[in-house]
């Protein structure tokens, strides 16, 4: 096995930066750092494809430091020398924290963190006063500051880094990235860093990188260490072969997850999942565990349900999702990272890039909507070459997901479900009958889960029609079925028993919330009801005379030609930059993206994957469809 190099052996790293590394306890470079730093410090753009937890942050922080340290003339206050773009606030803050000691080693260099959740005018004022030679932030806020600030000067930018590049593209940040990159000088070094190099990332690399090299790195595991000591327990590079021109492989990968990860799955019904989870958490109560759920509402519900079900189990749980206030998210994440053990219940807002020390287990209570996110979730453990474990809970009809992941080089081992476990759901249902807060959170979680399940990208595996809604309603401790379209034709479900308690009489245990509810009920009672509408006689219109087939075809052909001409005019606007591609799709297909903010100021659930299906369906056998296909080829 080839030995890793010491940072002192990498000649591109200055003595000042080596001193910072030594003060932080870093001695040996990880494979991704060893392969990337010499290239990125030189005159190469890089597209780095390395499994999560392999040390990518230092692989771009060190080159940024060296580039700015070697400037012939110092940057003025409002000149930007480097910019790091991250998809989430938490990851941006983590990168900013890593960057600080390295930037401080360069005289006169200032840094600034720009993320959502605060007043953008305050950020503009702070930049006006102090400047920011290195900007770290999310695409929306960075783009906003570039538009608002009249003094920000990006013409001297040396380095642009897009971290988690696939997420930046998938999450609907395209407009912001396009706006930012138009304002940046072309003579710069650019780095794309991600654990999953998608087609979109490769397209971006072809369009935005000059003299590029792709770095593909795998990490072999070393013995697990207790506690986190920087510079220890780092992975060793596997044997590698040279790639083709413009591409360097530090190692060959036969799987996309860290090789130190032991991933397994367990099959059970939806109303058995909580019992399985509770048993697992009690078995591993001394370890640090992250549990992922499908929706924010599910996190809120289980954050209440787990302590109720395990009243004497001593489980310490905390919740984190995109709809929480930024201050809450930061405090929760910091507290969980500082503890030696505990359970974090979260959504995919905590799936990417975050380096939380000593996470022993990742439990996926619900598989993610996007299969690429699976890799990022399990990457919160087995980091930097250490070992870790992951467990995924699947419903019986979802077992094909295992084969699907295996094809995508993510192997899972089956684990048998525990039998004879006590059922915690009656206890939670009883609590819901006494506290309206639990009842309402369960209902919201059920509704959001059903709707989120329908948005799975792997809908050939996660088939909504095969969901046992009765068992699912039981799993969320529902007292009665909610009114929702999915249940419009199902007043009762065989596997669900409604509560005999009148839900209108259930009060909030929180006296302030109950008082507010009573006020709303009183105000509603005083509001006069609208009189019933008078019956209106409906006069059925006369049926139109059916046109001959030849005439109908002639009209349809004329309409198709008009539609094609209109779409072609819009396409020319896109090419001239007067219309975005998103607006083009909405106008051409008559669709509107349903985007929900995830709390980052970023779209959480974009329905863009539906566009392809709609486009394909609309294109069958029509001139309009053929025209759309021609335009897609023109874009490529």
């Amino acid at each position: 096995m080839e030995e890793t190099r010491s940072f002192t052996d990498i000649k591109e790293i200055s003595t000042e930066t080596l001193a910072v590394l030594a003060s932080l306890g870093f001695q040996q470079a990880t494979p991704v750092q060893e392969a990337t730093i010499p290239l990125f410090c030189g005159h190469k753009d890089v597209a780095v494809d390395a499994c999560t937890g392999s040390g990518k942050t230092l692989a771009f922080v060190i080159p940024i430091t060296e580039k700015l340290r070697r400037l012939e003339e110092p940057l003025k206050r409002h000149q930007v020398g480097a910019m790091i773009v991250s998809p989430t606030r938490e990851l941006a803050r983590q990168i900013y924290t890593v960057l600080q000691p390295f930037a401080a080693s360069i005289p006169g260099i200032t840094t600034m963190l720009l993320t959502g959740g605060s007043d953008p005018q305050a950020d503009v004022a702070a930049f006006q006063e102090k400047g920011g030679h290195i900007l770290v932030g999310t695409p929306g806020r960075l783009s906003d500051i570039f538009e608002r600030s009249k003094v920000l000067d990006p013409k001297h930018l040396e380095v642009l880094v897009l971290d988690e590049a696939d997420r930046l593209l998938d999450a609907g940040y395209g407009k912001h990235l396009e706006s930012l990159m138009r304002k940046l000088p072309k003579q710069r070094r650019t780095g794309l860093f991600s654990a999953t190099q998608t087609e979109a990332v490769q397209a971006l690399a072809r369009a935005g990188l000059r003299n590029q090299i792709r770095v593909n790195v795998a990490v072999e595991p070393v013995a697990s260490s207790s506690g986190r000591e920087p510079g220890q327990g780092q992975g060793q590079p596997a044997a590698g072969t040279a790639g083709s021109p413009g591409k360097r492989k530090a190692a060959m990968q036969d799987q996309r997850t860290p090789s130190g990860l032991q991933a397994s799955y367990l099959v059970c019904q939806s109303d058995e999942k909580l019992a399985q989870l509770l048993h697992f958490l009690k078995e591993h109560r001394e370890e640090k565990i992250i549990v992922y759920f499908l929706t924010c509402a599910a996190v809120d519900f289980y954050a209440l349900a787990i302590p109720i079900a395990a009243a004497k189990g001593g489980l310490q749980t905390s919740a984190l999702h995109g709809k929480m206030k930024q201050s809450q998210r930061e405090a929760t994440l910091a507290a969980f990272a500082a503890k030696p053990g505990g359970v974090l219940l979260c959504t995919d807002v905590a799936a990417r890039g975050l380096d939380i020390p000593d996470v022993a287990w990742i439990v996926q209570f619900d598989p993610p909507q996007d299969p690429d996110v699976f890799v990022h979730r399990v990457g919160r453990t087995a980091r930097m070459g250490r070992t870790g474990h992951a467990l995924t809970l699947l419903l019986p009809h979802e077992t094909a997901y295992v084969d699907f992941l295996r094809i995508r080089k993510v192997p899972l081992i089956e684990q048998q479900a525990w039998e004879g476990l006590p059922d915690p759901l009656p206890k939670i249902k009883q609590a819901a009958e006494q506290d309206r807060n639990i009842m309402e959170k369960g209902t919201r979680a059920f509704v959001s889960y059903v709707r989120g399940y329908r948005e799975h990208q792997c809908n050939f595996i996660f088939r909504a029609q095969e969901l046992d809604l009765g068992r699912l309603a039981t799993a969320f401790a529902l007292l009665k079925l909610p009114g929702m379209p999915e249940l419009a034709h199902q007043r009762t479900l065989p596997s669900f028993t409604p509560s005999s308690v009148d839900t209108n009489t259930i009060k909030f245990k929180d006296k302030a919330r109950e008082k507010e509810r009573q006020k709303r009920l009183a105000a509603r009672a005083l509001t006069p009801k609208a009189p019933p509408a008078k019956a209106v006689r409906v006069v059925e219109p006369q049926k139109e005379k059916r046109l001959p087939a030849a005439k109908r075809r002639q009209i349809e052909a004329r309409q198709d030609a008009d539609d094609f001409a209109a779409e072609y005019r819009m396409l020319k606007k896109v090419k001239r930059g007067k219309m975005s591609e998103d607006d083009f799709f909405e106008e051409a297909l008559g669709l509107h993206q349903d985007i929900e903010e995830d709390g980052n100021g970023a779209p959480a659930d974009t329905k863009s994957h539906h566009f392809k299906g709609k486009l394909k369906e609309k294109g069958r056998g029509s001139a309009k469809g053929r025209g759309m296909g021609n335009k897609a080829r023109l874009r490529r």
Side-chain angles (χ1 to χ4, degrees):
M1 181 181 295
E2 182 185 347
E3 292 294 330
T4 54
R5 293 170 63 187
S6 169
F7 281 113
T8 57
D9 295 332
I10 302 176
K11 63 181 181 179
E12 289 81 4
I13 303 180
S14 64
T15 55
E16 294 86 350
T17 301
L18 288 173
V20 177
L21 288 166
S23 68
L24 297 174
F26 291 105
Q27 301 296 332
Q28 299 296 118
T30 65
V32 68
Q33 294 159 3
E34 179 184 345
T36 305
I37 290 173
L39 298 170
F40 209 15
C41 282
H43 302 288
K44 301 292 184 182
D45 288 355
V46 294
V48 180
D49 180 6
C51 65
T52 184
S54 56
K56 291 192 291 292
T57 303
L58 279 184
F60 59 76
V61 165
I62 291 175
I64 287 174
T65 305
E66 296 305 328
K67 287 283 185 183
L68 298 187
R69 194 187 301 282
R70 298 170 189 168
L71 290 177
E72 295 180 359
E73 296 183 4
L75 294 168
K76 296 179 181 178
R77 181 192 300 178
H78 299 126
Q79 290 177 343
V80 179
M83 187 165 67
I84 304 170
V85 188
S86 161
T88 67
R89 300 175 190 174
E90 286 78 12
L91 182 53
R93 181 170 294 278
Q94 179 177 288
I95 294 169
Y96 183 76
T97 302
V98 174
L99 172 70
Q100 286 292 80
F102 292 92
S105 70
I106 311 174
I109 288 293
T110 59
T111 59
M112 190 170 184
L113 178 65
L114 295 169
T115 61
S118 60
D119 181 9
Q121 283 302 132
D123 287 337
V124 172
F127 183 84
Q128 173 81 22
E129 180 183 355
K130 301 177 181 178
H133 300 126
I134 307 177
L135 302 181
V136 182
T138 50
R141 179 51 58 93
L142 284 169
S143 179
D144 197 16
I145 296 302
F146 268 66
E147 294 292 337
R148 291 172 183 263
S149 178
K150 304 300 181 184
V151 297
L152 190 152
D153 179 10
K155 295 179 182 177
H156 296 77
L157 186 127
E158 291 284 329
V159 187
L160 169 67
V161 170
L162 303 182
D163 194 23
E164 300 293 347
D166 57 331
R167 172 65 175 159
L168 287 172
L169 296 169
D170 291 344
Y173 289 117
K175 292 181 182 179
H176 297 308
L177 283 178
E178 184 181 352
S179 173
L180 283 172
M181 294 180 77
R182 277 203 304 264
K183 296 178 175 65
L184 303 180
K186 292 184 178 179
Q187 294 298 328
R188 65 172 190 267
R189 294 278 64 83
T190 304
L192 306 182
F193 290 78
S194 181
T196 50
Q197 289 282 337
T198 62
E199 291 182 5
V201 174
Q202 294 169 15
L204 179 62
R206 289 192 294 270
L209 272 62
R210 303 158 62 89
N211 196 21
Q212 65 159 303
I213 287 184
R214 180 175 174 185
V215 180
N216 187 352
V217 179
V219 178
E220 290 185 357
V222 298
S224 177
S225 59
S226 60
R228 180 191 177 112
E229 297 180 21
Q232 294 184 4
Q234 295 186 6
Q236 307 292 328
T241 58
S244 58
K247 180 176 179 179
R248 173 176 296 181
K249 283 196 176 184
M252 300 295 292
Q253 299 188 91
D254 59 358
Q255 64 182 61
R256 293 173 63 192
T257 51
S259 51
L261 177 71
Q262 298 178 17
S264 57
Y265 71 97
L266 180 153
V267 179
C268 63
Q269 296 289 351
S270 54
D271 56 351
E272 299 169 347
K273 276 188 174 184
L274 183 56
Q276 297 290 327
L277 176 64
L278 287 172
H279 179 78
F280 173 85
L281 295 179
K282 290 175 182 177
E283 290 287 315
H284 300 274
R285 70 178 73 228
E286 302 298 326
E287 297 175 289
K288 189 176 286 188
I289 302 168
I290 300 179
V291 186
Y292 286 98
F293 296 90
L294 186 64
T295 68
C296 300
V299 171
D300 286 336
F301 170 72
Y302 284 108
L304 288 176
I306 290 175
I308 292 170
K312 298 180 181 179
L315 294 177
Q316 300 177 10
T317 62
S318 51
L320 178 69
H321 58 72
K323 292 185 179 179
M324 295 168 61
K325 292 182 180 179
Q326 183 62 21
S327 58
Q328 287 180 293
R329 288 160 59 173
E330 291 176 3
T332 299
L333 200 57
F336 180 71
K339 293 178 182 177
V343 182
L344 179 67
L345 314 177
C346 62
T347 59
D348 290 335
V349 73
R352 285 177 177 259
L354 296 183
D355 187 14
I356 303 172
D358 304 319
V359 175
W361 279 90
I362 299 298
V363 179
Q364 303 198 56
F365 195 83
D366 305 313
Q369 288 179 331
D370 182 352
D372 282 337
V373 176
F374 189 100
V375 175
H376 294 282
R377 283 182 173 186
V378 298
R380 297 317 96 213
T381 187
R383 298 180 67 78
M384 299 294 286
R386 296 181 176 90
T387 58
H389 302 82
L391 175 65
T392 302
L393 305 185
L394 297 175
L395 300 178
H397 71 272
E398 297 171 349
T399 52
Y401 193 54
V402 178
D403 296 325
F404 173 78
L405 290 175
R406 188 175 294 114
I407 293 171
R408 294 170 65 91
K409 299 181 181 179
V410 182
L412 299 181
I413 301 171
E414 184 175 8
Q415 175 180 316
Q416 294 300 317
W418 293 282
E419 297 181 357
L421 300 178
D423 186 1
L425 295 175
K427 189 174 182 180
I428 299 170
K429 190 170 183 178
Q430 183 180 4
E433 292 173 341
Q434 299 170 2
D435 187 354
R436 193 172 194 87
N437 184 40
I438 301 172
M439 181 193 77
E440 288 188 354
K441 278 187 165 55
T443 303
R444 290 195 191 101
F446 173 82
V447 173
S448 69
Y449 181 91
V450 172
R451 292 176 179 170
Y453 200 90
R454 297 173 70 89
E455 299 301 326
H456 263 288
Q457 292 188 18
C458 300
N459 52 18
F460 56 93
I461 295 173
F462 299 93
R463 298 180 293 276
Q465 63 270 25
E466 292 197 27
L467 270 179
D468 188 330
L469 295 179
R471 284 181 176 269
L472 189 65
T474 304
F476 286 109
L478 264 58
L479 305 185
K480 67 174 184 178
L481 296 177
M484 55 188 298
E486 289 81 359
L487 296 173
H489 304 292
Q490 293 177 287
R491 294 185 179 180
T492 61
L493 294 173
S495 48
F496 172 70
T497 304
S499 172
S500 59
V501 176
D502 183 359
T503 55
N504 294 320
T505 64
I506 299 175
K507 299 180 179 180
F508 287 107
K509 279 192 174 180
D510 185 333
K511 292 182 180 179
R513 291 189 67 183
E514 180 58 25
K515 186 176 180 181
E516 186 64 29
R517 185 177 82 94
Q518 293 300 333
K519 281 184 181 179
R520 290 197 302 270
L521 290 175
R524 196 180 303 160
L526 293 174
T527 304
K529 294 182 179 180
K534 294 182 179 179
V536 179
R537 185 181 175 187
V538 178
V539 180
E540 292 190 8
Q542 293 182 353
K543 293 183 179 179
E544 293 184 6
K545 192 174 181 179
R546 186 174 177 83
L547 296 173
K551 185 70 173 177
R552 291 199 307 273
R553 286 194 295 270
Q554 185 180 4
I555 293 173
E556 289 172 1
R558 192 182 305 125
Q559 289 175 343
D560 283 346
D562 292 342
D563 288 343
F564 178 78
E567 290 169 10
Y568 187 70
R569 286 194 296 271
M570 287 190 289
L571 180 63
K572 289 198 290 186
K573 288 183 180 180
V574 173
K575 284 183 168 291
R576 292 197 299 266
K578 294 184 178 180
M579 176 182 284
S580 70
E581 287 196 14
D582 287 342
D583 292 338
F584 171 74
F585 273 105
E586 290 181 9
E587 292 290 337
L589 301 181
L591 299 173
H592 298 280
Q593 277 186 300
D594 178 16
I595 298 178
E596 177 187 347
E597 293 285 331
D598 75 346
N600 294 320
D605 294 317
T606 58
K607 307 293 190 301
S608 59
H609 55 277
H610 285 315
F611 288 162
K612 298 177 182 177
K614 294 279 187 182
L615 180 60
K616 185 176 180 182
E617 181 181 344
K618 194 164 188 174
R620 289 195 188 105
S622 70
K624 184 173 180 178
R626 291 191 293 275
M628 292 296 292
N630 290 335
K631 288 191 270 297
R633 284 192 289 276
L634 284 173
R635 285 200 304 277
R636 289 198 293 270

